Amino acid sequence: MDQSGAGPEVVRALAQRGDLVRLSDDVAFTRDAYSGALTLVKDIIAATGSITVAQLRDRMGASRRPVLALLEHMDAEKLTRRVGDQRVLFR
């Protein structure tokens, strides 16, 4: 069972309906939270040129695990790419 109290069947059903975006086996964002996080990452990179896990963690007020899952997901989707410890927009 995840931290929300939802069992794996509920998480799977919500992801299939599009209400959740699964970033890893143990991290999922609501569709709205995911959209907001994508916008935040893109805005920060546009303003500063790059972002690190620590910078995004601080801006989101989240722990490292979901932030890293988000950035790795964005890398896999070719929205960002990793350059050393930083992420930049994939061009």
Side-chain angles (χ1 to χ4, degrees):
M1 190 176 303
D2 68 15
Q3 291 179 348
S4 71
E9 307 82 29
V10 173
V11 171
R12 194 173 312 112
L14 290 171
Q16 287 175 346
R17 272 189 11 192
D19 294 333
L20 287 180
V21 178
R22 294 190 73 169
L23 303 179
S24 69
D25 289 340
D26 59 345
V27 177
F29 282 24
T30 65
R31 174 69 47 200
D32 289 343
Y34 176 72
S35 178
L38 290 181
T39 299
L40 177 63
V41 170
K42 290 176 184 179
D43 288 350
I44 292 170
I45 293 174
T48 64
S50 66
I51 192 165
T52 65
V53 172
Q55 289 168 330
L56 185 58
R57 181 197 65 217
D58 292 347
R59 285 291 297 271
M60 292 179 70
S63 67
R64 178 176 166 73
R65 185 172 57 102
V67 169
L68 183 57
L70 172 66
L71 291 173
E72 288 176 345
H73 178 80
M74 291 181 72
D75 293 346
E77 294 293 314
K78 298 203 182 306
L79 300 171
T80 58
R81 65 184 173 90
R82 184 175 176 182
V83 178
D85 290 340
Q86 301 179 352
R87 284 345 196 261
V88 297
L89 291 178
F90 192 90
R91 298 189 203 274

